[in-house]
Amino acid sequence: MRRAPARSRAPARGARTPARPGADPPLSARARRGDPPLITDAEPSPEERLRRRKRTYVVIMVIHIVGFGVGGALYEVAREIGLVLLLVTIPLPWIAVVLANDDGPLSPRKLRRRRAARGRTELDPERDMGSPPDRS
């Protein structure tokens, strides 16, 4: 007895089909939209940026406290070295605050919004209200 030839069935959804020699692999919807962003290109999360800013602040303040203490102790022994160390560590708290409050570069969307707000200092009645007010 001869068997009937097997009917070719369509592959199940999501199943891989053997590629024809020289054929491009099937593209997913994500691949058709363009290259996916690399994980290294992604912006850090707000929590990660906050952690980094806190760590920067703490490191600079520890340097300030240690340098200030060592500078004060050296001032009694070697005045010039102690004075230089004290003068170098005095502005560190201000630098730490500025760096801790810096949130990094603005996103293009926020930058456009800020530039638009800067260029529009007065209200434009026709644009903002629809029609000019009656001043008679």
Side-chain angles (χ1 to χ4, degrees), residues 122-133 135:
E122 293 183 19
L123 290 178
D124 183 7
E126 289 183 23
R127 185 183 67 218
D128 296 332
M129 305 292 244
S131 63
R135 298 186 187 239

Side-chain angles (χ1 to χ4, degrees), residues 48-111:
E48 187 178 328
R49 289 193 315 238
L50 180 63
R51 270 195 314 271
R52 185 177 298 142
R53 292 191 335 247
K54 283 181 177 180
R55 189 174 31 228
T56 301
Y57 179 81
V58 168
V59 166
I60 293 175
M61 290 307 292
V62 166
I63 292 170
H64 167 70
I65 291 170
V66 170
F68 200 75
V70 170
L74 280 177
Y75 187 75
E76 297 296 325
V77 179
R79 290 199 188 273
E80 294 83 16
I81 296 173
L83 186 62
V84 167
L85 200 52
L86 285 171
L87 291 175
V88 167
T89 60
I90 286 174
L92 285 181
W94 289 284
I95 294 170
V97 168
V98 168
L99 291 177
N101 287 334
D102 180 32
D103 197 20
L106 292 175
S107 68
R109 181 179 175 191
K110 287 183 181 177
L111 190 59

